[in-house]
Amino acid sequence: ESLAFQSSGAPVRTVPSLSKPRTSIRTQERSRKTELGVVVSGVEACWAVGHAVGGALPVPIIAKATKTWYRKIDLPPWTPPDKIFAPVWSVLYLCMGAAAAKVYRANSGGKLPMLLWAVHCGLNLSWAPVFFGLQRLRLALVIQCAIVATVSAIVPLFYRVQPLSAYLLLPYAAWLVFATFLNKDICKRNPTKQGYNNAMFQSQLSQLQRQAADFANS
């Protein structure tokens, strides 16, 4: 509060304005959200879509397996239905891409987080061709364990650079742990002996049946 004087000389009390400019408040809120990693930029959206598209590359292999041999082998009773895998993985890949983009843009954690992320993504993409394409169940389990190990190292690294990026990976990490136990149980129910297992047998049987059907219709 201060005193001012009219032209007549009489004092007039003035009260300073307590309100801040609206633009200043909005700027502070946006800055706070940016620090927390809440704001999603166009670059992060592109990374998210790119990860989702990349994750969809093995879909033809997976679709072929689920239509032929996968449901014919001994699966645990808690195996999820096939129809939930596509939406679940789509959401997870979007979160993965957004998380990686936030860390990449922050550029404050050195090269290690992104190098480890590249290794992790390579392992991730190799699992489906090995499991569904080659029916190498035990090798797929080894890869799955490596995927879990790398993401376990990545989450704390991402957290140091951008906390929200680590939180975005938590649902993905939980799903990977579930997938690892599923892969392990499938290996146990369909043991590999001398390099051969029930998945390979069912895949080859399905192929022979299809060839026989094609021959009969020719």
Side-chain angles (χ1 to χ4, degrees):
E1 183 176 315
S2 61
L3 292 177
F5 293 88
Q6 295 180 343
S7 58
S8 61
V12 177
R13 292 182 181 277
T14 60
V15 179
S17 174
L18 298 178
S19 62
K20 295 182 179 180
R22 183 174 298 178
T23 54
S24 176
I25 295 175
R26 289 178 178 176
T27 301
Q28 291 178 3
E29 289 178 351
R30 184 173 180 83
S31 176
R32 190 178 300 112
K33 289 181 178 180
T34 302
E35 291 176 0
L36 295 174
V38 175
V39 178
V40 178
S41 68
V43 174
E44 291 168 3
C46 291
W47 274 62
V49 174
H51 275 66
V53 172
L57 293 177
V59 167
I61 299 174
I62 299 172
K64 180 181 178 181
T66 54
K67 292 178 180 178
T68 53
W69 62 266
Y70 180 63
R71 286 293 168 179
K72 295 179 181 179
I73 65 174
D74 188 6
L75 296 174
W78 43 276
T79 302
D82 298 338
K83 62 183 179 181
I84 78 164
F85 283 99
V88 167
W89 274 110
S90 296
V91 172
L92 293 179
Y93 275 120
L94 290 171
C95 292
M96 291 165 60
K102 289 181 179 297
V103 172
Y104 179 78
R105 294 189 69 205
N107 195 27
S108 59
K111 296 181 179 180
L112 180 59
M114 297 312 298
L115 287 174
L116 193 56
W117 183 252
V119 172
H120 175 80
C121 289
L123 290 169
N124 181 293
L125 291 176
S126 69
W127 182 86
V130 171
F131 184 92
F132 289 107
L134 301 177
Q135 300 89 44
R136 298 288 301 275
L137 306 182
R138 292 191 301 186
L139 178 57
L141 178 59
V142 172
I143 295 174
Q144 188 68 40
C145 291
I147 293 172
V148 173
T150 51
V151 82
S152 298
I154 287 169
V155 169
L157 289 176
F158 275 25
Y159 184 83
R160 293 171 190 169
V161 178
Q162 176 57 264
L164 182 58
S165 65
Y167 296 140
L168 286 170
L169 291 182
L170 292 182
Y172 170 60
W175 181 263
L176 288 178
V177 172
F178 169 78
T180 302
F181 280 104
L182 180 61
N183 195 157
K184 181 180 178 181
D185 204 357
I186 291 175
C187 288
K188 183 178 179 181
R189 291 168 176 268
N190 303 271
T192 300
K193 297 179 180 180
Q194 297 181 349
Y196 198 74
N197 57 48
N198 188 32
M200 295 176 180
F201 171 76
Q202 293 295 342
S203 176
Q204 293 171 357
L205 179 61
S206 177
Q207 185 177 3
L208 288 173
Q209 290 173 339
R210 186 171 60 254
Q211 292 175 349
D214 293 340
F215 179 79
N217 295 328
S218 62

PDB file of all heavy atoms in Angstrom, residues 188-218:
ATOM      1  N   LYS A 188       8.203 -75.653 -20.564  1.00  0.00           N
ATOM      2  CA  LYS A 188       8.054 -76.786 -19.663  1.00  0.00           C
ATOM      3  C   LYS A 188       7.013 -77.767 -20.176  1.00  0.00           C
ATOM      4  O   LYS A 188       7.189 -78.997 -20.089  1.00  0.00           O
ATOM      5  CB  LYS A 188       7.656 -76.281 -18.267  1.00  0.00           C
ATOM      6  CG  LYS A 188       7.534 -77.364 -17.220  1.00  0.00           C
ATOM      7  CD  LYS A 188       7.188 -76.758 -15.865  1.00  0.00           C
ATOM      8  CE  LYS A 188       7.040 -77.841 -14.802  1.00  0.00           C
ATOM      9  NZ  LYS A 188       6.685 -77.266 -13.481  1.00  0.00           N
ATOM     10  N   ARG A 189       5.922 -77.249 -20.740  1.00  0.00           N
ATOM     11  CA  ARG A 189       4.844 -78.102 -21.236  1.00  0.00           C
ATOM     12  C   ARG A 189       5.171 -78.721 -22.587  1.00  0.00           C
ATOM     13  O   ARG A 189       4.566 -79.726 -22.971  1.00  0.00           O
ATOM     14  CB  ARG A 189       3.550 -77.281 -21.350  1.00  0.00           C
ATOM     15  CG  ARG A 189       2.960 -76.869 -20.001  1.00  0.00           C
ATOM     16  CD  ARG A 189       1.857 -75.830 -20.178  1.00  0.00           C
ATOM     17  NE  ARG A 189       1.220 -75.505 -18.916  1.00  0.00           N
ATOM     18  CZ  ARG A 189       0.136 -76.099 -18.430  1.00  0.00           C
ATOM     19  NH1 ARG A 189      -0.462 -77.055 -19.131  1.00  0.00           N
ATOM     20  NH2 ARG A 189      -0.376 -75.741 -17.264  1.00  0.00           N
ATOM     21  N   ASN A 190       6.085 -78.110 -23.316  1.00  0.00           N
ATOM     22  CA  ASN A 190       6.467 -78.603 -24.640  1.00  0.00           C
ATOM     23  C   ASN A 190       7.993 -78.733 -24.693  1.00  0.00           C
ATOM     24  O   ASN A 190       8.670 -77.937 -25.358  1.00  0.00           O
ATOM     25  CB  ASN A 190       5.978 -77.645 -25.734  1.00  0.00           C
ATOM     26  CG  ASN A 190       4.482 -77.426 -25.688  1.00  0.00           C
ATOM     27  OD1 ASN A 190       3.705 -78.145 -26.306  1.00  0.00           O
ATOM     28  ND2 ASN A 190       4.056 -76.398 -24.946  1.00  0.00           N
ATOM     29  N   PRO A 191       8.545 -79.720 -23.998  1.00  0.00           N
ATOM     30  CA  PRO A 191      10.003 -79.832 -23.872  1.00  0.00           C
ATOM     31  C   PRO A 191      10.682 -80.101 -25.215  1.00  0.00           C
ATOM     32  O   PRO A 191      10.126 -80.766 -26.099  1.00  0.00           O
ATOM     33  CB  PRO A 191      10.184 -81.016 -22.917  1.00  0.00           C
ATOM     34  CG  PRO A 191       8.922 -81.814 -23.045  1.00  0.00           C
ATOM     35  CD  PRO A 191       7.836 -80.818 -23.302  1.00  0.00           C
ATOM     36  N   THR A 192      11.871 -79.550 -25.337  1.00  0.00           N
ATOM     37  CA  THR A 192      12.685 -79.765 -26.536  1.00  0.00           C
ATOM     38  C   THR A 192      13.643 -80.923 -26.286  1.00  0.00           C
ATOM     39  O   THR A 192      14.402 -80.917 -25.314  1.00  0.00           O
ATOM     40  CB  THR A 192      13.473 -78.498 -26.889  1.00  0.00           C
ATOM     41  OG1 THR A 192      12.560 -77.429 -27.142  1.00  0.00           O
ATOM     42  CG2 THR A 192      14.337 -78.729 -28.121  1.00  0.00           C
ATOM     43  N   LYS A 193      13.583 -81.916 -27.165  1.00  0.00           N
ATOM     44  CA  LYS A 193      14.459 -83.081 -27.051  1.00  0.00           C
ATOM     45  C   LYS A 193      15.200 -83.265 -28.363  1.00  0.00           C
ATOM     46  O   LYS A 193      14.582 -83.393 -29.418  1.00  0.00           O
ATOM     47  CB  LYS A 193      13.634 -84.329 -26.718  1.00  0.00           C
ATOM     48  CG  LYS A 193      12.926 -84.249 -25.365  1.00  0.00           C
ATOM     49  CD  LYS A 193      12.115 -85.499 -25.089  1.00  0.00           C
ATOM     50  CE  LYS A 193      11.404 -85.405 -23.744  1.00  0.00           C
ATOM     51  NZ  LYS A 193      10.590 -86.630 -23.458  1.00  0.00           N
ATOM     52  N   GLN A 194      16.512 -83.251 -28.264  1.00  0.00           N
ATOM     53  CA  GLN A 194      17.373 -83.383 -29.447  1.00  0.00           C
ATOM     54  C   GLN A 194      17.018 -82.334 -30.499  1.00  0.00           C
ATOM     55  O   GLN A 194      16.969 -82.615 -31.697  1.00  0.00           O
ATOM     56  CB  GLN A 194      17.262 -84.799 -30.030  1.00  0.00           C
ATOM     57  CG  GLN A 194      17.746 -85.875 -29.077  1.00  0.00           C
ATOM     58  CD  GLN A 194      17.660 -87.270 -29.671  1.00  0.00           C
ATOM     59  OE1 GLN A 194      17.050 -87.475 -30.718  1.00  0.00           O
ATOM     60  NE2 GLN A 194      18.300 -88.244 -29.009  1.00  0.00           N
ATOM     61  N   GLY A 195      16.767 -81.110 -30.038  1.00  0.00           N
ATOM     62  CA  GLY A 195      16.508 -79.998 -30.948  1.00  0.00           C
ATOM     63  C   GLY A 195      15.132 -79.998 -31.567  1.00  0.00           C
ATOM     64  O   GLY A 195      14.903 -79.253 -32.530  1.00  0.00           O
ATOM     65  N   TYR A 196      14.219 -80.816 -31.032  1.00  0.00           N
ATOM     66  CA  TYR A 196      12.889 -80.904 -31.632  1.00  0.00           C
ATOM     67  C   TYR A 196      11.840 -80.787 -30.526  1.00  0.00           C
ATOM     68  O   TYR A 196      12.026 -81.319 -29.426  1.00  0.00           O
ATOM     69  CB  TYR A 196      12.715 -82.238 -32.369  1.00  0.00           C
ATOM     70  CG  TYR A 196      11.580 -82.274 -33.358  1.00  0.00           C
ATOM     71  CD1 TYR A 196      11.685 -81.603 -34.572  1.00  0.00           C
ATOM     72  CD2 TYR A 196      10.410 -82.981 -33.091  1.00  0.00           C
ATOM     73  CE1 TYR A 196      10.650 -81.626 -35.491  1.00  0.00           C
ATOM     74  CE2 TYR A 196       9.377 -83.024 -34.015  1.00  0.00           C
ATOM     75  CZ  TYR A 196       9.499 -82.343 -35.210  1.00  0.00           C
ATOM     76  OH  TYR A 196       8.472 -82.371 -36.119  1.00  0.00           O
ATOM     77  N   ASN A 197      10.738 -80.092 -30.823  1.00  0.00           N
ATOM     78  CA  ASN A 197       9.688 -79.939 -29.826  1.00  0.00           C
ATOM     79  C   ASN A 197       8.307 -80.001 -30.491  1.00  0.00           C
ATOM     80  O   ASN A 197       8.196 -80.089 -31.727  1.00  0.00           O
ATOM     81  CB  ASN A 197       9.854 -78.618 -29.055  1.00  0.00           C
ATOM     82  CG  ASN A 197       9.857 -77.408 -29.978  1.00  0.00           C
ATOM     83  OD1 ASN A 197       9.015 -77.271 -30.845  1.00  0.00           O
ATOM     84  ND2 ASN A 197      10.830 -76.518 -29.779  1.00  0.00           N
ATOM     85  N   ASN A 198       7.288 -79.958 -29.682  1.00  0.00           N
ATOM     86  CA  ASN A 198       5.921 -80.095 -30.171  1.00  0.00           C
ATOM     87  C   ASN A 198       5.516 -78.946 -31.087  1.00  0.00           C
ATOM     88  O   ASN A 198       4.725 -79.121 -32.012  1.00  0.00           O
ATOM     89  CB  ASN A 198       4.951 -80.177 -28.982  1.00  0.00           C
ATOM     90  CG  ASN A 198       3.537 -80.519 -29.409  1.00  0.00           C
ATOM     91  OD1 ASN A 198       3.328 -81.246 -30.387  1.00  0.00           O
ATOM     92  ND2 ASN A 198       2.557 -79.989 -28.694  1.00  0.00           N
ATOM     93  N   ALA A 199       6.050 -77.761 -30.825  1.00  0.00           N
ATOM     94  CA  ALA A 199       5.737 -76.624 -31.679  1.00  0.00           C
ATOM     95  C   ALA A 199       6.235 -76.853 -33.106  1.00  0.00           C
ATOM     96  O   ALA A 199       5.526 -76.566 -34.084  1.00  0.00           O
ATOM     97  CB  ALA A 199       6.346 -75.351 -31.097  1.00  0.00           C
ATOM     98  N   MET A 200       7.443 -77.389 -33.238  1.00  0.00           N
ATOM     99  CA  MET A 200       7.976 -77.704 -34.567  1.00  0.00           C
ATOM    100  C   MET A 200       7.134 -78.771 -35.244  1.00  0.00           C
ATOM    101  O   MET A 200       6.843 -78.682 -36.447  1.00  0.00           O
ATOM    102  CB  MET A 200       9.431 -78.166 -34.442  1.00  0.00           C
ATOM    103  CG  MET A 200      10.380 -77.110 -33.933  1.00  0.00           C
ATOM    104  SD  MET A 200      12.045 -77.792 -33.720  1.00  0.00           S
ATOM    105  CE  MET A 200      12.933 -76.353 -33.133  1.00  0.00           C
ATOM    106  N   PHE A 201       6.756 -79.785 -34.468  1.00  0.00           N
ATOM    107  CA  PHE A 201       5.934 -80.864 -35.021  1.00  0.00           C
ATOM    108  C   PHE A 201       4.597 -80.326 -35.530  1.00  0.00           C
ATOM    109  O   PHE A 201       4.172 -80.645 -36.651  1.00  0.00           O
ATOM    110  CB  PHE A 201       5.704 -81.945 -33.972  1.00  0.00           C
ATOM    111  CG  PHE A 201       4.701 -82.978 -34.385  1.00  0.00           C
ATOM    112  CD1 PHE A 201       5.026 -83.973 -35.308  1.00  0.00           C
ATOM    113  CD2 PHE A 201       3.405 -82.958 -33.868  1.00  0.00           C
ATOM    114  CE1 PHE A 201       4.093 -84.918 -35.699  1.00  0.00           C
ATOM    115  CE2 PHE A 201       2.467 -83.901 -34.253  1.00  0.00           C
ATOM    116  CZ  PHE A 201       2.813 -84.885 -35.172  1.00  0.00           C
ATOM    117  N   GLN A 202       3.930 -79.525 -34.718  1.00  0.00           N
ATOM    118  CA  GLN A 202       2.630 -78.990 -35.111  1.00  0.00           C
ATOM    119  C   GLN A 202       2.746 -78.049 -36.307  1.00  0.00           C
ATOM    120  O   GLN A 202       1.870 -78.025 -37.185  1.00  0.00           O
ATOM    121  CB  GLN A 202       1.984 -78.250 -33.934  1.00  0.00           C
ATOM    122  CG  GLN A 202       1.600 -79.132 -32.770  1.00  0.00           C
ATOM    123  CD  GLN A 202       0.502 -80.135 -33.111  1.00  0.00           C
ATOM    124  OE1 GLN A 202      -0.215 -79.976 -34.109  1.00  0.00           O
ATOM    125  NE2 GLN A 202       0.374 -81.173 -32.298  1.00  0.00           N
ATOM    126  N   SER A 203       3.831 -77.290 -36.371  1.00  0.00           N
ATOM    127  CA  SER A 203       4.047 -76.394 -37.510  1.00  0.00           C
ATOM    128  C   SER A 203       4.242 -77.183 -38.802  1.00  0.00           C
ATOM    129  O   SER A 203       3.648 -76.869 -39.844  1.00  0.00           O
ATOM    130  CB  SER A 203       5.264 -75.503 -37.246  1.00  0.00           C
ATOM    131  OG  SER A 203       5.548 -74.691 -38.365  1.00  0.00           O
ATOM    132  N   GLN A 204       5.077 -78.235 -38.730  1.00  0.00           N
ATOM    133  CA  GLN A 204       5.319 -79.056 -39.917  1.00  0.00           C
ATOM    134  C   GLN A 204       4.069 -79.832 -40.314  1.00  0.00           C
ATOM    135  O   GLN A 204       3.774 -79.996 -41.508  1.00  0.00           O
ATOM    136  CB  GLN A 204       6.485 -80.002 -39.641  1.00  0.00           C
ATOM    137  CG  GLN A 204       7.815 -79.289 -39.467  1.00  0.00           C
ATOM    138  CD  GLN A 204       8.911 -80.211 -38.985  1.00  0.00           C
ATOM    139  OE1 GLN A 204       8.691 -81.394 -38.710  1.00  0.00           O
ATOM    140  NE2 GLN A 204      10.124 -79.678 -38.848  1.00  0.00           N
ATOM    141  N   LEU A 205       3.323 -80.321 -39.320  1.00  0.00           N
ATOM    142  CA  LEU A 205       2.084 -81.038 -39.613  1.00  0.00           C
ATOM    143  C   LEU A 205       1.078 -80.130 -40.300  1.00  0.00           C
ATOM    144  O   LEU A 205       0.419 -80.537 -41.274  1.00  0.00           O
ATOM    145  CB  LEU A 205       1.490 -81.596 -38.318  1.00  0.00           C
ATOM    146  CG  LEU A 205       0.160 -82.353 -38.457  1.00  0.00           C
ATOM    147  CD1 LEU A 205       0.338 -83.581 -39.360  1.00  0.00           C
ATOM    148  CD2 LEU A 205      -0.358 -82.772 -37.080  1.00  0.00           C
ATOM    149  N   SER A 206       0.965 -78.912 -39.831  1.00  0.00           N
ATOM    150  CA  SER A 206       0.055 -77.955 -40.452  1.00  0.00           C
ATOM    151  C   SER A 206       0.464 -77.650 -41.887  1.00  0.00           C
ATOM    152  O   SER A 206      -0.384 -77.534 -42.778  1.00  0.00           O
ATOM    153  CB  SER A 206       0.027 -76.659 -39.638  1.00  0.00           C
ATOM    154  OG  SER A 206      -0.793 -75.694 -40.245  1.00  0.00           O
ATOM    155  N   GLN A 207       1.772 -77.552 -42.117  1.00  0.00           N
ATOM    156  CA  GLN A 207       2.260 -77.293 -43.472  1.00  0.00           C
ATOM    157  C   GLN A 207       1.961 -78.465 -44.405  1.00  0.00           C
ATOM    158  O   GLN A 207       1.542 -78.268 -45.556  1.00  0.00           O
ATOM    159  CB  GLN A 207       3.766 -77.014 -43.425  1.00  0.00           C
ATOM    160  CG  GLN A 207       4.358 -76.623 -44.768  1.00  0.00           C
ATOM    161  CD  GLN A 207       5.832 -76.285 -44.651  1.00  0.00           C
ATOM    162  OE1 GLN A 207       6.420 -76.391 -43.574  1.00  0.00           O
ATOM    163  NE2 GLN A 207       6.438 -75.889 -45.754  1.00  0.00           N
ATOM    164  N   LEU A 208       2.150 -79.685 -43.905  1.00  0.00           N
ATOM    165  CA  LEU A 208       1.849 -80.872 -44.718  1.00  0.00           C
ATOM    166  C   LEU A 208       0.350 -80.955 -45.025  1.00  0.00           C
ATOM    167  O   LEU A 208      -0.037 -81.306 -46.147  1.00  0.00           O
ATOM    168  CB  LEU A 208       2.307 -82.136 -43.987  1.00  0.00           C
ATOM    169  CG  LEU A 208       3.826 -82.354 -43.904  1.00  0.00           C
ATOM    170  CD1 LEU A 208       4.136 -83.546 -43.008  1.00  0.00           C
ATOM    171  CD2 LEU A 208       4.410 -82.564 -45.302  1.00  0.00           C
ATOM    172  N   GLN A 209      -0.480 -80.636 -44.053  1.00  0.00           N
ATOM    173  CA  GLN A 209      -1.927 -80.661 -44.269  1.00  0.00           C
ATOM    174  C   GLN A 209      -2.341 -79.629 -45.311  1.00  0.00           C
ATOM    175  O   GLN A 209      -3.206 -79.895 -46.147  1.00  0.00           O
ATOM    176  CB  GLN A 209      -2.649 -80.400 -42.945  1.00  0.00           C
ATOM    177  CG  GLN A 209      -2.538 -81.550 -41.951  1.00  0.00           C
ATOM    178  CD  GLN A 209      -3.109 -81.202 -40.594  1.00  0.00           C
ATOM    179  OE1 GLN A 209      -3.241 -80.025 -40.241  1.00  0.00           O
ATOM    180  NE2 GLN A 209      -3.446 -82.222 -39.806  1.00  0.00           N
ATOM    181  N   ARG A 210      -1.717 -78.472 -45.276  1.00  0.00           N
ATOM    182  CA  ARG A 210      -2.036 -77.440 -46.257  1.00  0.00           C
ATOM    183  C   ARG A 210      -1.586 -77.858 -47.649  1.00  0.00           C
ATOM    184  O   ARG A 210      -2.303 -77.643 -48.647  1.00  0.00           O
ATOM    185  CB  ARG A 210      -1.370 -76.124 -45.854  1.00  0.00           C
ATOM    186  CG  ARG A 210      -1.751 -74.943 -46.745  1.00  0.00           C
ATOM    187  CD  ARG A 210      -1.244 -73.635 -46.185  1.00  0.00           C
ATOM    188  NE  ARG A 210       0.207 -73.609 -46.044  1.00  0.00           N
ATOM    189  CZ  ARG A 210       0.847 -73.690 -44.893  1.00  0.00           C
ATOM    190  NH1 ARG A 210       0.171 -73.849 -43.765  1.00  0.00           N
ATOM    191  NH2 ARG A 210       2.171 -73.647 -44.855  1.00  0.00           N
ATOM    192  N   GLN A 211      -0.404 -78.472 -47.738  1.00  0.00           N
ATOM    193  CA  GLN A 211       0.083 -78.940 -49.041  1.00  0.00           C
ATOM    194  C   GLN A 211      -0.798 -80.051 -49.591  1.00  0.00           C
ATOM    195  O   GLN A 211      -1.070 -80.101 -50.790  1.00  0.00           O
ATOM    196  CB  GLN A 211       1.536 -79.429 -48.902  1.00  0.00           C
ATOM    197  CG  GLN A 211       2.529 -78.313 -48.604  1.00  0.00           C
ATOM    198  CD  GLN A 211       3.930 -78.844 -48.364  1.00  0.00           C
ATOM    199  OE1 GLN A 211       4.136 -80.051 -48.211  1.00  0.00           O
ATOM    200  NE2 GLN A 211       4.899 -77.941 -48.309  1.00  0.00           N
ATOM    201  N   ALA A 212      -1.241 -80.935 -48.702  1.00  0.00           N
ATOM    202  CA  ALA A 212      -2.148 -82.024 -49.135  1.00  0.00           C
ATOM    203  C   ALA A 212      -3.461 -81.458 -49.639  1.00  0.00           C
ATOM    204  O   ALA A 212      -4.011 -81.941 -50.643  1.00  0.00           O
ATOM    205  CB  ALA A 212      -2.379 -82.986 -47.974  1.00  0.00           C
ATOM    206  N   ALA A 213      -3.981 -80.441 -48.940  1.00  0.00           N
ATOM    207  CA  ALA A 213      -5.226 -79.824 -49.369  1.00  0.00           C
ATOM    208  C   ALA A 213      -5.069 -79.120 -50.722  1.00  0.00           C
ATOM    209  O   ALA A 213      -5.940 -79.218 -51.576  1.00  0.00           O
ATOM    210  CB  ALA A 213      -5.705 -78.822 -48.311  1.00  0.00           C
ATOM    211  N   ASP A 214      -3.938 -78.457 -50.909  1.00  0.00           N
ATOM    212  CA  ASP A 214      -3.673 -77.801 -52.189  1.00  0.00           C
ATOM    213  C   ASP A 214      -3.548 -78.810 -53.319  1.00  0.00           C
ATOM    214  O   ASP A 214      -4.040 -78.603 -54.442  1.00  0.00           O
ATOM    215  CB  ASP A 214      -2.399 -76.955 -52.099  1.00  0.00           C
ATOM    216  CG  ASP A 214      -2.557 -75.767 -51.166  1.00  0.00           C
ATOM    217  OD1 ASP A 214      -3.709 -75.371 -50.900  1.00  0.00           O
ATOM    218  OD2 ASP A 214      -1.518 -75.241 -50.711  1.00  0.00           O
ATOM    219  N   PHE A 215      -2.906 -79.947 -53.038  1.00  0.00           N
ATOM    220  CA  PHE A 215      -2.747 -80.990 -54.039  1.00  0.00           C
ATOM    221  C   PHE A 215      -4.101 -81.615 -54.399  1.00  0.00           C
ATOM    222  O   PHE A 215      -4.378 -81.896 -55.573  1.00  0.00           O
ATOM    223  CB  PHE A 215      -1.796 -82.066 -53.517  1.00  0.00           C
ATOM    224  CG  PHE A 215      -1.586 -83.201 -54.477  1.00  0.00           C
ATOM    225  CD1 PHE A 215      -0.733 -83.067 -55.553  1.00  0.00           C
ATOM    226  CD2 PHE A 215      -2.259 -84.417 -54.312  1.00  0.00           C
ATOM    227  CE1 PHE A 215      -0.544 -84.115 -56.456  1.00  0.00           C
ATOM    228  CE2 PHE A 215      -2.074 -85.465 -55.191  1.00  0.00           C
ATOM    229  CZ  PHE A 215      -1.216 -85.320 -56.272  1.00  0.00           C
ATOM    230  N   ALA A 216      -4.935 -81.807 -53.384  1.00  0.00           N
ATOM    231  CA  ALA A 216      -6.255 -82.416 -53.630  1.00  0.00           C
ATOM    232  C   ALA A 216      -7.145 -81.488 -54.450  1.00  0.00           C
ATOM    233  O   ALA A 216      -7.992 -81.946 -55.231  1.00  0.00           O
ATOM    234  CB  ALA A 216      -6.926 -82.752 -52.306  1.00  0.00           C
ATOM    235  N   ASN A 217      -6.967 -80.192 -54.285  1.00  0.00           N
ATOM    236  CA  ASN A 217      -7.795 -79.222 -55.005  1.00  0.00           C
ATOM    237  C   ASN A 217      -7.243 -78.846 -56.363  1.00  0.00           C
ATOM    238  O   ASN A 217      -7.899 -78.130 -57.133  1.00  0.00           O
ATOM    239  CB  ASN A 217      -7.953 -77.938 -54.166  1.00  0.00           C
ATOM    240  CG  ASN A 217      -8.721 -78.202 -52.890  1.00  0.00           C
ATOM    241  OD1 ASN A 217      -9.608 -79.057 -52.832  1.00  0.00           O
ATOM    242  ND2 ASN A 217      -8.388 -77.444 -51.839  1.00  0.00           N
ATOM    243  N   SER A 218      -6.025 -79.324 -56.672  1.00  0.00           N
ATOM    244  CA  SER A 218      -5.419 -78.968 -57.965  1.00  0.00           C
ATOM    245  C   SER A 218      -5.928 -79.860 -59.094  1.00  0.00           C
ATOM    246  O   SER A 218      -6.485 -80.922 -58.879  1.00  0.00           O
ATOM    247  CB  SER A 218      -3.898 -79.074 -57.851  1.00  0.00           C
ATOM    248  OG  SER A 218      -3.506 -80.395 -57.543  1.00  0.00           O
TER     249      SER A 218
END
